[in-house]
Amino acid sequence: MRNHSIIDQNFTNQDFSNKKLPGKEYDNCRFINCNFTEADMSVVTFLSCSFADCNFTKVMMKQTVFRDECVFEGCKLMGVSFGSCDDFMFSVEFRSSILDYASFYGIDMKNTRFTDCRFIGADFTEANIKGSEFKNCDLKNTIFEQTNAEKVDFTSAINFSIDPTQNRLKKARFSSENLAGLLKKYDLIIE
């Protein structure tokens, strides 16, 4: 494949590991059960693409573009640095995916939906996640520091620790069961 646009293609059981991803732009493509481990996806554009049951462990995404709602479902994205992606019109959705140790440092990703995902040790430092939703997500040891989390729905999220003095939380939603995650720094015993 040359570096050109690839439109309306399905990629199933492909192994892209340790390689530079072929193509420059993928439009409305589907990737199913593909292995991107340690692949170089830098300076590649994805428009309205979906990824199902793919492995992105340690993938390189410098200036990678995700626009027009790219969906990751059942994917393993451990250690991925989304903070190095191009965040102009950045549009993704994550469903039933593992994002342990992923970094969203400084990225503008408003109104992003995360459903049934695990984020152990992930980093949202200086990210703009305004209006996003963490539905049934495990945020154990996830870092929120100088994060814009205004209007974010955390009502069904678990294991988070967010310091309201270090983050913007105006109109963020929490359930009465998970309020302890806002008070963790005070070392209170809540019964």
Side-chain angles (χ1 to χ4, degrees):
M1 275 186 237
R2 298 184 330 243
N3 282 342
H4 61 285
S5 294
I6 300 168
I7 302 169
D8 298 326
Q9 296 289 315
N10 289 332
F11 298 88
T12 304
N13 299 320
Q14 298 288 311
D15 187 1
F16 299 105
S17 61
N18 297 300
K19 299 175 190 161
K20 173 71 177 146
L21 195 65
K24 192 72 172 154
E25 180 177 296
Y26 293 83
D27 190 348
N28 199 40
C29 291
R30 239 178 104 75
F31 297 85
I32 303 159
N33 199 38
C34 292
N35 184 7
F36 295 97
T37 302
E38 296 188 21
D40 185 355
M41 297 171 71
S42 299
V43 199
V44 175
T45 297
F46 296 95
L47 306 170
S48 299
C49 290
S50 65
F51 303 88
D53 303 312
C54 295
N55 185 350
F56 290 90
T57 302
K58 296 183 182 177
V59 71
M60 188 184 312
M61 292 189 182
K62 290 183 180 170
Q63 296 303 306
T64 304
V65 174
F66 293 101
R67 292 199 183 115
D68 302 329
E69 191 77 18
C70 290
V71 177
F72 295 85
E73 185 159 9
C75 292
K76 183 177 178 184
L77 299 123
M78 294 179 64
V80 174
S81 178
F82 288 97
S84 61
C85 289
D86 181 338
D87 66 357
F88 179 70
M89 296 176 56
F90 186 82
S91 178
V92 293
E93 179 179 349
F94 297 94
R95 303 177 194 148
S96 303
S97 293
I98 298 171
L99 293 119
D100 296 353
Y101 309 104
S103 175
F104 298 91
Y105 182 89
I107 194 161
D108 187 356
M109 55 186 306
K110 293 179 265 196
N111 304 309
T112 301
R113 288 186 309 259
F114 302 96
T115 306
D116 300 317
C117 293
R118 190 177 81 190
F119 290 89
I120 296 174
D123 185 2
F124 285 93
T125 300
E126 296 182 19
N128 182 357
I129 56 172
K130 183 177 181 176
S132 295
E133 177 183 24
F134 289 89
K135 185 176 182 180
N136 302 319
C137 291
D138 186 349
L139 298 166
K140 185 176 183 177
N141 297 324
T142 292
I143 300 165
F144 293 93
E145 205 169 288
Q146 303 304 316
T147 306
N148 181 353
E150 294 177 354
K151 299 181 181 178
V152 171
D153 186 346
F154 290 105
T155 55
S156 61
I158 61 169
N159 296 325
F160 62 84
S161 177
I162 301 173
D163 183 347
T165 65
Q166 298 295 316
N167 297 282
R168 293 169 52 188
L169 295 172
K170 186 175 183 178
K171 303 223 184 227
R173 297 179 56 209
F174 300 89
S175 70
S176 57
E177 290 83 30
N178 69 9
L179 282 176
L182 295 172
L183 304 170
K184 211 167 252 184
K185 83 172 199 171
Y186 300 108
D187 199 23
L188 301 173
I189 298 169
I190 301 169
E191 297 177 357

